[in-house]
Amino acid sequence: MVGTWRVQQRMWPAGDVQAIALPPALARRRLVGQSFLEETMELAPGSKEAPFTRLAYFNYNAVNQQYEYVSMDTRALQMMNEKSADATADGPITLYGGSFVAPAWGDAKNAGFRYRRTIAPIAHDSQTVRLYLTPQSAANAREFLAFEYLYARQR
């Protein structure tokens, strides 16, 4: 996963609407002390959109045999912390987070959500990361895809 990646981002403000394309980003991933992956994502050079920075850390914890992920993003000032339930499965890694409150999400204000993230394996120098949300206040609270990050390794 180490390297520089171009990232196409999409967002869904609800489960039944079209995706909104977010500005392209650039992610730099590096190993820190041969122990964990650090990712810094920022707006792609040349973009006229509002700048942002997202820092993320990803590792496999051999003690509890779980993948762990933590991120902070200047666009949403909350720390996201997730862990896998089972680190032995093939395919995408699923990480489960807790709850958070979004000041505004679609038509809702101060909306509470549970969340989970999937990190797909790298294939042909590309990778997909998805963030799913489940509303906590709706009667028919159904999980929906909220963000999708399509990574392409920069050559």
Side-chain angles (χ1 to χ4, degrees), residues 7-13 17-24 75 105 128-131 145-150:
V7 184
Q8 295 298 318
Q9 311 173 82
R10 297 190 304 164
M11 176 190 138
W12 288 261
V17 298
Q18 290 291 325
I20 298 167
L22 299 176
R75 297 172 291 187
W105 191 271
T128 302
V129 176
R130 293 185 173 110
L131 181 68
L145 176 61
F147 287 95
E148 181 177 68
Y149 304 94
L150 303 173

mmCIF file of all heavy atoms in Angstrom, residues 7-13 17-24 75 105 128-131 145-150:
data_model
loop_
_atom_site.group_PDB
_atom_site.id
_atom_site.type_symbol
_atom_site.label_atom_id
_atom_site.label_comp_id
_atom_site.label_asym_id
_atom_site.label_seq_id
_atom_site.Cartn_x
_atom_site.Cartn_y
_atom_site.Cartn_z
ATOM 1 N N VAL A 7 -6.616 9.861 -5.963
ATOM 2 C CA VAL A 7 -7.850 9.387 -5.334
ATOM 3 C C VAL A 7 -9.051 10.140 -5.902
ATOM 4 O O VAL A 7 -9.101 11.360 -5.864
ATOM 5 C CB VAL A 7 -7.803 9.579 -3.798
ATOM 6 C CG1 VAL A 7 -9.062 8.986 -3.151
ATOM 7 C CG2 VAL A 7 -6.546 8.955 -3.198
ATOM 8 N N GLN A 8 -9.982 9.386 -6.436
ATOM 9 C CA GLN A 8 -11.282 9.926 -6.831
ATOM 10 C C GLN A 8 -12.245 9.657 -5.683
ATOM 11 O O GLN A 8 -12.353 8.524 -5.221
ATOM 12 C CB GLN A 8 -11.789 9.264 -8.115
ATOM 13 C CG GLN A 8 -10.938 9.546 -9.330
ATOM 14 C CD GLN A 8 -10.905 11.033 -9.665
ATOM 15 O OE1 GLN A 8 -11.903 11.735 -9.612
ATOM 16 N NE2 GLN A 8 -9.717 11.531 -9.986
ATOM 17 N N GLN A 9 -12.940 10.699 -5.241
ATOM 18 C CA GLN A 9 -13.828 10.589 -4.083
ATOM 19 C C GLN A 9 -15.270 10.844 -4.500
ATOM 20 O O GLN A 9 -15.529 11.741 -5.291
ATOM 21 C CB GLN A 9 -13.476 11.632 -3.031
ATOM 22 C CG GLN A 9 -12.012 11.707 -2.661
ATOM 23 C CD GLN A 9 -11.766 12.882 -1.750
ATOM 24 O OE1 GLN A 9 -11.976 12.803 -0.544
ATOM 25 N NE2 GLN A 9 -11.354 14.006 -2.323
ATOM 26 N N ARG A 10 -16.179 10.059 -3.922
ATOM 27 C CA ARG A 10 -17.608 10.292 -4.131
ATOM 28 C C ARG A 10 -18.311 10.213 -2.783
ATOM 29 O O ARG A 10 -17.883 9.469 -1.895
ATOM 30 C CB ARG A 10 -18.207 9.264 -5.075
ATOM 31 C CG ARG A 10 -17.610 9.335 -6.457
ATOM 32 C CD ARG A 10 -18.347 8.503 -7.470
ATOM 33 N NE ARG A 10 -18.454 7.104 -7.085
ATOM 34 C CZ ARG A 10 -19.308 6.245 -7.649
ATOM 35 N NH1 ARG A 10 -20.130 6.654 -8.590
ATOM 36 N NH2 ARG A 10 -19.345 4.991 -7.272
ATOM 37 N N MET A 11 -19.409 10.960 -2.661
ATOM 38 C CA MET A 11 -20.172 11.009 -1.419
ATOM 39 C C MET A 11 -21.664 10.852 -1.722
ATOM 40 O O MET A 11 -22.144 11.380 -2.723
ATOM 41 C CB MET A 11 -19.933 12.349 -0.734
ATOM 42 C CG MET A 11 -20.724 12.564 0.507
ATOM 43 S SD MET A 11 -20.531 14.287 1.011
ATOM 44 C CE MET A 11 -22.203 14.610 1.467
ATOM 45 N N TRP A 12 -22.359 10.138 -0.856
ATOM 46 C CA TRP A 12 -23.806 10.005 -0.936
ATOM 47 C C TRP A 12 -24.407 10.598 0.334
ATOM 48 O O TRP A 12 -24.130 10.106 1.434
ATOM 49 C CB TRP A 12 -24.216 8.539 -1.026
ATOM 50 C CG TRP A 12 -23.918 7.886 -2.322
ATOM 51 C CD1 TRP A 12 -24.791 7.670 -3.346
ATOM 52 C CD2 TRP A 12 -22.677 7.317 -2.755
ATOM 53 N NE1 TRP A 12 -24.172 7.017 -4.381
ATOM 54 C CE2 TRP A 12 -22.862 6.788 -4.039
ATOM 55 C CE3 TRP A 12 -21.401 7.214 -2.180
ATOM 56 C CZ2 TRP A 12 -21.855 6.175 -4.757
ATOM 57 C CZ3 TRP A 12 -20.387 6.602 -2.888
ATOM 58 C CH2 TRP A 12 -20.619 6.093 -4.162
ATOM 59 N N PRO A 13 -25.240 11.643 0.244
ATOM 60 C CA PRO A 13 -25.830 12.227 1.440
ATOM 61 C C PRO A 13 -26.991 11.399 2.012
ATOM 62 O O PRO A 13 -27.460 11.671 3.114
ATOM 63 C CB PRO A 13 -26.307 13.605 0.983
ATOM 64 C CG PRO A 13 -26.423 13.512 -0.487
ATOM 65 C CD PRO A 13 -25.483 12.448 -0.945
ATOM 66 N N VAL A 17 -30.014 8.456 -3.163
ATOM 67 C CA VAL A 17 -29.705 9.602 -4.020
ATOM 68 C C VAL A 17 -28.449 9.311 -4.840
ATOM 69 O O VAL A 17 -27.703 8.388 -4.551
ATOM 70 C CB VAL A 17 -29.503 10.897 -3.188
ATOM 71 C CG1 VAL A 17 -30.772 11.252 -2.440
ATOM 72 C CG2 VAL A 17 -28.346 10.766 -2.242
ATOM 73 N N GLN A 18 -28.233 10.148 -5.851
ATOM 74 C CA GLN A 18 -27.050 10.022 -6.687
ATOM 75 C C GLN A 18 -25.804 10.471 -5.925
ATOM 76 O O GLN A 18 -25.876 11.336 -5.048
ATOM 77 C CB GLN A 18 -27.193 10.886 -7.942
ATOM 78 C CG GLN A 18 -28.241 10.371 -8.914
ATOM 79 C CD GLN A 18 -27.800 9.067 -9.557
ATOM 80 O OE1 GLN A 18 -26.635 8.844 -9.831
ATOM 81 N NE2 GLN A 18 -28.764 8.190 -9.796
ATOM 82 N N ALA A 19 -24.681 9.910 -6.286
ATOM 83 C CA ALA A 19 -23.404 10.291 -5.674
ATOM 84 C C ALA A 19 -23.012 11.697 -6.104
ATOM 85 O O ALA A 19 -23.341 12.139 -7.200
ATOM 86 C CB ALA A 19 -22.313 9.304 -6.087
ATOM 87 N N ILE A 20 -22.302 12.374 -5.216
ATOM 88 C CA ILE A 20 -21.732 13.685 -5.486
ATOM 89 C C ILE A 20 -20.228 13.482 -5.650
ATOM 90 O O ILE A 20 -19.582 12.931 -4.759
ATOM 91 C CB ILE A 20 -22.005 14.657 -4.321
ATOM 92 C CG1 ILE A 20 -23.510 14.862 -4.141
ATOM 93 C CG2 ILE A 20 -21.276 15.981 -4.543
ATOM 94 C CD1 ILE A 20 -23.861 15.550 -2.839
ATOM 95 N N ALA A 21 -19.689 13.916 -6.775
ATOM 96 C CA ALA A 21 -18.242 13.805 -6.988
ATOM 97 C C ALA A 21 -17.539 14.861 -6.152
ATOM 98 O O ALA A 21 -17.897 16.036 -6.195
ATOM 99 C CB ALA A 21 -17.904 13.981 -8.455
ATOM 100 N N LEU A 22 -16.579 14.440 -5.368
ATOM 101 C CA LEU A 22 -15.760 15.352 -4.580
ATOM 102 C C LEU A 22 -14.475 15.624 -5.359
ATOM 103 O O LEU A 22 -14.122 14.872 -6.272
ATOM 104 C CB LEU A 22 -15.449 14.747 -3.209
ATOM 105 C CG LEU A 22 -16.672 14.460 -2.337
ATOM 106 C CD1 LEU A 22 -16.249 13.767 -1.050
ATOM 107 C CD2 LEU A 22 -17.447 15.727 -2.033
ATOM 108 N N PRO A 23 -13.756 16.681 -5.004
ATOM 109 C CA PRO A 23 -12.542 17.001 -5.767
ATOM 110 C C PRO A 23 -11.500 15.888 -5.681
ATOM 111 O O PRO A 23 -11.396 15.207 -4.655
ATOM 112 C CB PRO A 23 -12.025 18.281 -5.122
ATOM 113 C CG PRO A 23 -12.860 18.542 -3.936
ATOM 114 C CD PRO A 23 -14.023 17.618 -3.936
ATOM 115 N N PRO A 24 -10.728 15.696 -6.752
ATOM 116 C CA PRO A 24 -9.664 14.688 -6.720
ATOM 117 C C PRO A 24 -8.650 14.995 -5.611
ATOM 118 O O PRO A 24 -8.415 16.149 -5.269
ATOM 119 C CB PRO A 24 -9.004 14.812 -8.090
ATOM 120 C CG PRO A 24 -9.982 15.537 -8.940
ATOM 121 C CD PRO A 24 -10.797 16.395 -8.025
ATOM 122 N N ARG A 75 -12.116 18.197 7.272
ATOM 123 C CA ARG A 75 -13.479 18.444 6.794
ATOM 124 C C ARG A 75 -14.526 18.010 7.811
ATOM 125 O O ARG A 75 -15.677 18.431 7.730
ATOM 126 C CB ARG A 75 -13.730 17.708 5.473
ATOM 127 C CG ARG A 75 -12.837 18.192 4.345
ATOM 128 C CD ARG A 75 -12.966 17.323 3.130
ATOM 129 N NE ARG A 75 -12.390 15.992 3.379
ATOM 130 C CZ ARG A 75 -12.247 15.059 2.456
ATOM 131 N NH1 ARG A 75 -12.639 15.291 1.209
ATOM 132 N NH2 ARG A 75 -11.707 13.895 2.752
ATOM 133 N N TRP A 105 -26.101 16.455 7.524
ATOM 134 C CA TRP A 105 -25.933 15.360 6.580
ATOM 135 C C TRP A 105 -27.204 15.292 5.741
ATOM 136 O O TRP A 105 -28.260 14.942 6.243
ATOM 137 C CB TRP A 105 -25.704 14.035 7.287
ATOM 138 C CG TRP A 105 -25.273 12.983 6.323
ATOM 139 C CD1 TRP A 105 -26.072 12.137 5.607
ATOM 140 C CD2 TRP A 105 -23.944 12.707 5.916
ATOM 141 N NE1 TRP A 105 -25.317 11.350 4.781
ATOM 142 C CE2 TRP A 105 -24.002 11.678 4.960
ATOM 143 C CE3 TRP A 105 -22.704 13.228 6.261
ATOM 144 C CZ2 TRP A 105 -22.864 11.161 4.351
ATOM 145 C CZ3 TRP A 105 -21.581 12.710 5.654
ATOM 146 C CH2 TRP A 105 -21.670 11.674 4.713
ATOM 147 N N THR A 128 -10.043 0.148 -3.604
ATOM 148 C CA THR A 128 -11.283 0.835 -3.263
ATOM 149 C C THR A 128 -11.487 0.787 -1.757
ATOM 150 O O THR A 128 -11.373 -0.272 -1.142
ATOM 151 C CB THR A 128 -12.490 0.183 -3.970
ATOM 152 O OG1 THR A 128 -12.268 0.218 -5.381
ATOM 153 C CG2 THR A 128 -13.784 0.913 -3.637
ATOM 154 N N VAL A 129 -11.776 1.950 -1.177
ATOM 155 C CA VAL A 129 -12.105 2.053 0.246
ATOM 156 C C VAL A 129 -13.501 2.665 0.320
ATOM 157 O O VAL A 129 -13.779 3.666 -0.352
ATOM 158 C CB VAL A 129 -11.080 2.929 1.010
ATOM 159 C CG1 VAL A 129 -11.493 3.108 2.457
ATOM 160 C CG2 VAL A 129 -9.688 2.310 0.910
ATOM 161 N N ARG A 130 -14.371 2.048 1.110
ATOM 162 C CA ARG A 130 -15.753 2.542 1.233
ATOM 163 C C ARG A 130 -16.110 2.740 2.700
ATOM 164 O O ARG A 130 -15.708 1.949 3.556
ATOM 165 C CB ARG A 130 -16.729 1.560 0.601
ATOM 166 C CG ARG A 130 -16.589 1.458 -0.893
ATOM 167 C CD ARG A 130 -17.660 0.559 -1.503
ATOM 168 N NE ARG A 130 -17.599 0.618 -2.944
ATOM 169 C CZ ARG A 130 -17.187 -0.383 -3.710
ATOM 170 N NH1 ARG A 130 -16.806 -1.531 -3.168
ATOM 171 N NH2 ARG A 130 -17.154 -0.242 -5.019
ATOM 172 N N LEU A 131 -16.891 3.789 2.950
ATOM 173 C CA LEU A 131 -17.395 4.071 4.287
ATOM 174 C C LEU A 131 -18.911 3.999 4.239
ATOM 175 O O LEU A 131 -19.544 4.674 3.418
ATOM 176 C CB LEU A 131 -16.944 5.458 4.763
ATOM 177 C CG LEU A 131 -17.403 5.856 6.169
ATOM 178 C CD1 LEU A 131 -16.710 5.002 7.223
ATOM 179 C CD2 LEU A 131 -17.130 7.324 6.410
ATOM 180 N N LEU A 145 -24.091 3.332 1.575
ATOM 181 C CA LEU A 145 -22.754 3.746 1.182
ATOM 182 C C LEU A 145 -22.709 5.261 1.241
ATOM 183 O O LEU A 145 -23.516 5.934 0.603
ATOM 184 C CB LEU A 145 -22.437 3.256 -0.239
ATOM 185 C CG LEU A 145 -21.110 3.700 -0.834
ATOM 186 C CD1 LEU A 145 -19.933 3.207 0.005
ATOM 187 C CD2 LEU A 145 -20.994 3.198 -2.271
ATOM 188 N N ALA A 146 -21.781 5.817 2.037
ATOM 189 C CA ALA A 146 -21.690 7.269 2.219
ATOM 190 C C ALA A 146 -20.494 7.865 1.478
ATOM 191 O O ALA A 146 -20.599 8.959 0.942
ATOM 192 C CB ALA A 146 -21.607 7.612 3.695
ATOM 193 N N PHE A 147 -19.356 7.156 1.476
ATOM 194 C CA PHE A 147 -18.163 7.642 0.781
ATOM 195 C C PHE A 147 -17.493 6.479 0.065
ATOM 196 O O PHE A 147 -17.458 5.353 0.568
ATOM 197 C CB PHE A 147 -17.138 8.234 1.767
ATOM 198 C CG PHE A 147 -17.524 9.554 2.334
ATOM 199 C CD1 PHE A 147 -18.169 9.630 3.553
ATOM 200 C CD2 PHE A 147 -17.237 10.733 1.653
ATOM 201 C CE1 PHE A 147 -18.529 10.848 4.095
ATOM 202 C CE2 PHE A 147 -17.595 11.959 2.183
ATOM 203 C CZ PHE A 147 -18.245 12.015 3.421
ATOM 204 N N GLU A 148 -16.936 6.798 -1.092
ATOM 205 C CA GLU A 148 -16.138 5.829 -1.829
ATOM 206 C C GLU A 148 -14.874 6.531 -2.288
ATOM 207 O O GLU A 148 -14.937 7.634 -2.840
ATOM 208 C CB GLU A 148 -16.908 5.299 -3.028
ATOM 209 C CG GLU A 148 -16.129 4.270 -3.820
ATOM 210 C CD GLU A 148 -16.954 3.715 -4.951
ATOM 211 O OE1 GLU A 148 -17.246 4.478 -5.899
ATOM 212 O OE2 GLU A 148 -17.309 2.520 -4.879
ATOM 213 N N TYR A 149 -13.750 5.890 -2.041
ATOM 214 C CA TYR A 149 -12.443 6.409 -2.430
ATOM 215 C C TYR A 149 -11.826 5.410 -3.399
ATOM 216 O O TYR A 149 -11.565 4.264 -3.027
ATOM 217 C CB TYR A 149 -11.535 6.576 -1.213
ATOM 218 C CG TYR A 149 -12.128 7.455 -0.147
ATOM 219 C CD1 TYR A 149 -12.852 6.911 0.910
ATOM 220 C CD2 TYR A 149 -11.969 8.838 -0.191
ATOM 221 C CE1 TYR A 149 -13.399 7.716 1.892
ATOM 222 C CE2 TYR A 149 -12.516 9.649 0.788
ATOM 223 C CZ TYR A 149 -13.232 9.085 1.827
ATOM 224 O OH TYR A 149 -13.777 9.900 2.794
ATOM 225 N N LEU A 150 -11.606 5.835 -4.635
ATOM 226 C CA LEU A 150 -10.987 4.981 -5.646
ATOM 227 C C LEU A 150 -9.537 5.415 -5.805
ATOM 228 O O LEU A 150 -9.257 6.500 -6.312
ATOM 229 C CB LEU A 150 -11.738 5.095 -6.970
ATOM 230 C CG LEU A 150 -13.229 4.754 -6.908
ATOM 231 C CD1 LEU A 150 -13.900 5.056 -8.239
ATOM 232 C CD2 LEU A 150 -13.445 3.313 -6.503
#
